[in-house]
């Protein structure tokens, strides 16, 4: 009786082979979180892609004001390295010309200067175009990158074979900056009292002040004042006749 029952429920070999072939050809669903066998499975991290837009790069931008906040924190150099700034590459007496620059690190100057009210002798080592240049923190702009500046920076990365920052780098630097800003700042009074470098005299702001109240360039179109017309006295009243 048992042999008859077993023969009755035995599946054909062709049917079993067909099902095995179907299973082999069907893709393995590893991203279906609703399956019970997926309990405890962790999604793979997102791909590490290079920055391709100005909005992405601005997440790594440091303004002059934010650098001043980081300057009084203990992990200043680590926090700013790898970030980007908008820096004026021209001198005080020239029209400003800004570039997007990567912060490679910091260095110390032989003299001091003030960032707002904070005395310091720290400068930034910046890379832009094919140069690595030291810049004072006051050369950094508080404004956002322009689209033209971003396209120039991106073209320079291609021409100089410089790898742009990636999304993973952006995430890591945002965490570093947050932690640095949350750390305890050194009191300004203590910094001013212990600062040992002679401060460089501040630059005079106005162009007339910087050149001793004399305009430094010859005007292309000097103002021409027309001569004033001669003044004529009104005619005297004729003598009145006898009344």
């Amino acid at each position: 009786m048992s042999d008859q029952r077993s023969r009755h429920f035995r599946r054909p070999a062709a049917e079993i082979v067909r099902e095995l072939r179907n299973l082999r050809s069907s893709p393995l669903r590893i991203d279906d979180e609703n399956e019970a066998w997926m309990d405890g499975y962790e999604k793979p991290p997102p791909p590490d892609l290079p920055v391709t837009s100005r909005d992405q790069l601005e997440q790594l931008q440091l303004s002059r004001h934010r650098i001043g906040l980081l300057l009084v924190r203990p992990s200043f150099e680590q926090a700013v390295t790898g970030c980007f700034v908008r820096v004026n590459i021209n001198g005080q007496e020239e029209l400003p010309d800004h570039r997007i620059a990567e912060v490679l690190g910091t260095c110390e100057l032989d003299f001091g200067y003030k960032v707002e009210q904070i005395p310091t002798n720290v400068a930034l080592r910046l890379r832009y175009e094919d140069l690595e240049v030291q810049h004072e923190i006051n050369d950094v702009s508080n404004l956002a990158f322009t689209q033209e500046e971003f396209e120039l920076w991106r073209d320079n990365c291609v021409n100089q074979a410089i790898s742009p920052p990636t999304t993973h780098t952006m995430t890591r630097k945002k965490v570093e900056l947050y932690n640095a800003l949350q750390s305890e700042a050194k009191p300004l009074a203590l910094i001013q009292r212990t600062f040992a470098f002679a401060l460089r005299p501040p630059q005079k702001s106005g162009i007339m002040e910087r050149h001793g109240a004399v305009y430094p360039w010859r005007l292309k179109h000097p103002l021409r004042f027309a001569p004033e017309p001669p003044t004529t006295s009104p005619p005297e009243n004729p003598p009145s006749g006898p009344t």
Side-chain angles (χ1 to χ4, degrees):
M1 183 69 178
S2 60
D3 294 340
Q4 292 178 357
R5 184 176 299 175
S6 62
R7 283 196 302 268
H8 179 73
F9 290 99
R10 185 177 299 170
R11 300 176 61 191
E15 183 180 347
I16 297 175
V17 171
R18 185 167 56 251
E19 289 187 4
L20 290 174
R21 287 177 179 174
N22 291 336
L23 288 174
R24 184 179 302 174
S25 61
S26 62
L28 183 62
R29 296 180 299 171
I30 61 173
D31 57 344
D32 191 355
E33 296 180 352
N34 296 324
E35 297 289 343
W37 60 274
M38 292 295 294
D39 293 340
Y41 175 76
E42 295 183 1
K43 278 188 174 182
D48 192 16
L49 302 176
V51 168
T52 57
S53 68
R54 177 166 59 102
D55 293 339
Q56 288 180 309
L57 191 65
E58 283 180 346
Q59 297 185 48
L60 292 175
Q61 181 183 4
L62 291 178
S63 63
R64 182 176 66 251
H65 174 71
R66 201 173 190 188
I67 294 176
L69 295 177
L70 292 167
L71 186 60
V72 295
R73 263 72 180 185
S75 56
F76 172 73
E77 182 171 9
Q78 178 184 355
V80 300
T81 301
C83 293
F84 289 80
V85 295
R86 183 176 186 259
V87 63
N88 177 24
I89 64 174
N90 281 349
Q92 292 286 337
E93 299 179 5
E94 300 174 284
L95 292 176
D97 187 13
H98 292 91
R99 294 289 187 275
I100 295 178
E102 180 182 2
V103 182
L104 301 179
T106 64
C107 59
E108 293 187 354
L109 305 175
D110 296 332
F111 56 87
Y113 65 100
K114 282 190 175 183
V115 180
E116 296 180 352
Q117 299 299 320
I118 306 170
T120 185
N121 69 322
V122 174
L124 303 176
R125 293 192 298 110
L126 303 179
R127 176 171 65 185
Y128 51 86
E129 297 177 352
D130 58 343
L131 305 173
E132 293 185 11
V133 189
Q134 298 178 6
H135 275 273
E136 296 181 13
I137 297 173
N138 289 330
D139 293 336
V140 175
S141 172
N142 278 324
L143 301 180
F145 304 142
T146 67
Q147 185 63 32
E148 181 181 1
E149 292 163 357
F150 174 76
E151 292 175 358
L152 179 62
W153 169 81
R154 184 174 56 184
D155 292 343
N156 179 69
C157 288
V158 175
N159 296 333
Q160 301 296 327
I162 299 173
S163 299
T166 64
T167 52
H168 286 184
T169 303
M170 185 170 58
T171 302
R172 177 177 55 82
K173 289 305 299 182
K174 289 168 67 175
V175 173
E176 285 185 3
L177 291 172
Y178 175 82
N179 292 335
L181 289 171
Q182 295 303 311
S183 60
E184 185 177 1
K186 185 181 292 187
L188 178 60
L190 177 61
I191 297 175
Q192 293 173 339
R193 187 168 63 250
T194 59
F195 191 72
F197 290 86
L199 292 176
R200 183 193 58 203
Q203 292 282 348
K204 295 180 179 180
S205 56
I207 190 170
M208 299 289 285
E209 292 179 277
R210 295 200 300 268
H211 295 273
V214 178
Y215 197 77
W217 298 298
R218 181 178 298 176
L219 292 175
K220 292 183 179 180
H221 302 286
L223 297 176
R224 301 175 183 270
F225 296 97
E228 296 182 358
T231 58
T232 57
S233 57
E236 297 180 359
N237 294 330
S240 58
T243 57

